Amino acid sequence: MKHIYGDNLISIRRMMDCSEDYNLLTKWLSDPSVCKYYEGKSKPYDLKKVIIKFGPYTRGEERVIPCIIEYEKKAIGYIQYYKAYSDEYDESKIVDMSKYDNPHGCDIIIGETQFWNKGIGTKVIQMTIKYLFQNENADIIFIDPQTWNKRAIRCYEKSGFKPIMIAKNRELHDDQPKDCLIMVITSNDKDLCTL
Ligand SMILES: CC(C)(COP(=O)(O)OP(=O)(O)OC[C@H]1O[C@@H](n2cnc3c(N)ncnc32)[C@H](O)[C@@H]1OP(=O)(O)O)[C@@H](O)C(=O)NCCC(=O)NCCS
């Protein structure tokens, strides 16, 4: 399958509108140890729920570009990126968005838990940043981990993201509202006012 970006070890390909890829997402998003870092342990996905959520992405009906992360050609996780709306992250009080024409956002889940804490997430995020700046003409990229997800925050910091603000009650996790840390990277980071 054609890869969008990556190297010999880690590569990123488009998630397809096919049962093989929906089954991968179902396997990962039904695993309680992964659910804990997604919508919560009480919110597992089954195949039907995966197709309802990810089908519009794979068919190009929405702006989200869904991708599969492969490590040595084995599918290990999911990453998505998208063109962001202005103020999608409630960021306009902090960032002068009139300076940016092409904001993007991204999200990542390594679904195979034995691949956590090996530096792979950091490499994938770094590759994604490079791809979005160079190939999608992004000029600012946002990511919004929940504030309690210290590993994700550390991974994004190592990748070059800077924290700019906390967005209160931004997401539901196990039906409870959670705060998110809004983090950004631009091609010209001296413009940013960070936390
Ligand atoms: C978040 C995720 C993408 C990170 O990828 P990864 O490959 O596991 O992360 P890396 O190994 O590149 O980096 C993790 C860093 O966090 C650190 N870390 C791990 N657990 C930590 C914790 N509880 N508190 C603080 N730091 C922690 C690691 O030590 C490492 O930092 P270091 O290199 O300075 O030692 C991956 O763990 C994942 O998919 N988790 C489940 C889903 C998820 O949380 N997605 C993100 C939603 S915003």
Side-chain angles (χ1 to χ4, degrees), residues 100-163:
Y100 303 102
D101 295 324
N102 203 7
H104 275 67
C106 66
D107 304 287
I108 180 172
I109 304 157
I110 297 178
E112 299 291 335
T113 57
Q114 71 273 27
F115 289 84
W116 289 354
N117 298 317
K118 295 182 186 304
I120 296 171
T122 303
K123 287 214 180 79
V124 171
I125 292 292
Q126 288 171 337
M127 286 171 169
T128 304
I129 291 168
K130 190 172 167 201
Y131 173 79
L132 292 177
F133 282 147
Q134 293 184 349
N135 297 72
E136 298 291 331
N137 295 318
D139 46 13
I140 185 166
I141 306 169
F142 290 87
I143 202 158
D144 60 349
Q146 291 176 13
T147 51
W148 56 268
N149 193 345
K150 301 300 180 199
R151 177 175 49 206
I153 291 169
R154 177 74 191 125
C155 168
Y156 305 152
E157 266 173 3
K158 284 197 295 172
S159 306
F161 278 94
K162 303 234 166 48

Side-chain angles (χ1 to χ4, degrees), residues 19-32:
S19 54
E20 185 189 329
D21 282 358
Y22 293 132
N23 287 337
L24 285 171
L25 267 289
T26 307
K27 176 182 182 230
W28 298 331
L29 297 183
S30 62
D31 177 343

Side-chain angles (χ1 to χ4, degrees), residues 62-123:
E62 291 190 23
R63 65 195 162 118
V64 174
I65 308 294
C67 301
I68 299 291
I69 304 164
E70 292 184 349
Y71 186 85
E72 291 182 326
K73 308 217 181 329
K74 173 187 163 61
I76 64 159
Y78 173 83
I79 187 161
Q80 63 183 28
Y81 61 87
Y82 46 90
K83 206 169 147 71
Y85 300 125
S86 195
D87 213 27
E88 183 159 355
Y89 297 88
D90 302 328
E91 76 286 356
S92 62
K93 293 170 236 87
I94 311 284
V95 181
D96 178 2
M97 289 304 287
S98 66
K99 288 184 185 164
Y100 303 102
D101 295 324
N102 203 7
H104 275 67
C106 66
D107 304 287
I108 180 172
I109 304 157
I110 297 178
E112 299 291 335
T113 57
Q114 71 273 27
F115 289 84
W116 289 354
N117 298 317
K118 295 182 186 304
I120 296 171
T122 303
K123 287 214 180 79

